[in-house]
Amino acid sequence: MFDLFDDDLDQMELIEGALALNCAVKPSVDKIDVMRQLGELFIEAEMKLAHEPNEKLRFESLLRLFYNEWGFKGDQESYFSSDNVFVDKVLERRQGIPVSLGAVLLFLSNKLGLPVSGVTFPTQFILRVDWPDQETQFINPFDGEYVTRSTLKAWMIGHDGPLAKVTEKDIQASDNPTVVGRWLAVMKSALLREESFTLALRCSDIALTLVPEDPYEIRDRGFIYQQLECHSVAAEDYRFFIEQCPDDPAAKVLKLQVKVFDESPTVLH
C-alpha cells in the first residue's frame, strides 16, 4: 500500500514519489530497474552537458538531448493510455503525458543543478525555469517547447471560459503531494477507461488514504465495486455519497441503482 505522507513526498524527488505510487497500484513495476535507468540517463546527460559554459546553455542542451536524441515525446495517439502514467512504461516507450514526461525531465534537471520546478497548471502539468534576474520561463513537457504567458492564458480560456485569467497562484511551483495526487487521479481515469477495475480500485483506496471520506471518491469506488460485481459494497458507497451530497444530480440516479441492488439476490464475494 502507498504509505508515504506529505512530508515524505516533499523530501524526495517527484519521480520517486510517483514511482512509489506506481508500485502501490501495480506491484509488478520494478522500482530498482526504473531507478537504474534514470541514473543512467543522468550520467549520460552529465557527460554530454559538461562542456556547456553556463546553466542556461546546459538546459537548452538537456532539452535537445531529451526530446531529440533520446526521443522522448508526448503520446499523441494514445494520450489516455495507462502506459503513459507508469514510469517504467514511459521509459520503455519514450512516450508519456505532461506529468510523466515532466517528472523525468525535472529529475534530470534537479540532478544537474538547474533551477527547474513543476507546476500543476489547471490545464496540464508544466515546468517553470527561474533564472536569476530574468523573467520566469515555462516549458510544456509534452513537446519540450517554451510556453508564453499569452499561451497559458489561451489554455485557461479554453478550460474555464472567455473571462478566465492566469493568476500567480496558477503558475507557482507545486509541492509533490499535490502533483502525486493529480497523477493518481489521471492513473485511475486511465485504468477505468481500460476496464482494469482491480487496479483502479487500488487507486481509489489510495486516494481515500490521502483524503479520507471524500464523497466523490467513495462514489467512484462504488462504481468500481459495481463493475467487479460486488454489489452490496457498491451500495454502501453509493448510500454514503447520497447522504453526503443529496443535492448532487448523481444522487437521484444512484438512489435508483441502490434500489436495484437491494431488490437483487445477494452475491457473496
Side-chain angles (χ1 to χ4, degrees), residues 32-180:
I32 294 175
D33 185 60
V34 170
M35 293 307 299
R36 177 191 59 79
Q37 292 182 63
L38 290 169
E40 290 177 353
L41 290 176
F42 164 65
I43 291 171
E44 184 177 345
E46 189 176 39
M47 292 176 59
K48 292 192 173 182
L49 274 56
H51 67 283
E52 296 293 359
N54 62 60
E55 285 189 337
K56 203 163 187 180
L57 290 177
R58 290 182 80 195
F59 184 63
E60 293 291 341
S61 294
L62 176 61
L63 291 177
R64 288 193 294 272
L65 178 65
F66 191 80
Y67 291 98
N68 297 338
E69 188 169 333
W70 290 342
F72 282 95
K73 63 180 180 179
D75 189 346
Q76 299 275 8
E77 296 182 0
S78 305
Y79 187 94
F80 297 104
S81 168
S82 64
D83 284 347
N84 292 323
V85 293
F86 287 100
V87 181
D88 59 333
K89 291 296 184 181
V90 172
L91 293 175
E92 176 188 324
R93 300 166 63 244
R94 300 287 167 104
Q95 291 189 78
I97 54 177
V99 70
S100 55
L101 293 172
V104 176
L105 184 55
L106 181 61
F107 169 80
L108 297 170
S109 298
N110 289 345
K111 292 281 282 183
L112 291 165
L114 299 170
V116 182
S117 55
V119 177
T120 51
F121 192 71
T123 62
Q124 67 160 76
F125 185 77
I126 60 175
L127 298 176
R128 61 176 284 157
V129 191
D130 292 289
W131 303 113
D133 303 319
Q134 296 186 37
E135 185 176 357
T136 298
Q137 294 179 308
F138 301 96
I139 301 287
N140 180 0
F142 197 68
D143 55 16
E145 297 292 328
Y146 284 95
V147 182
T148 64
R149 287 178 181 261
S150 61
T151 298
L152 293 176
K153 182 178 179 181
W155 287 357
M156 187 70 87
I157 289 173
H159 185 260
D160 289 338
L163 300 180
K165 295 181 180 180
V166 177
T167 68
E168 284 302 309
K169 182 180 179 181
D170 293 325
I171 55 175
Q172 288 304 305
S174 302
D175 57 28
N176 287 346
T178 298
V179 182
V180 170

Side-chain angles (χ1 to χ4, degrees), residues 213-215 218 235-245:
E213 298 192 350
D214 178 342
I218 290 175
E236 295 258 345
D237 281 350
Y238 286 162
R239 287 192 187 98
F240 180 87
F241 176 79
I242 293 165
E243 290 171 2
Q244 298 297 314
C245 306

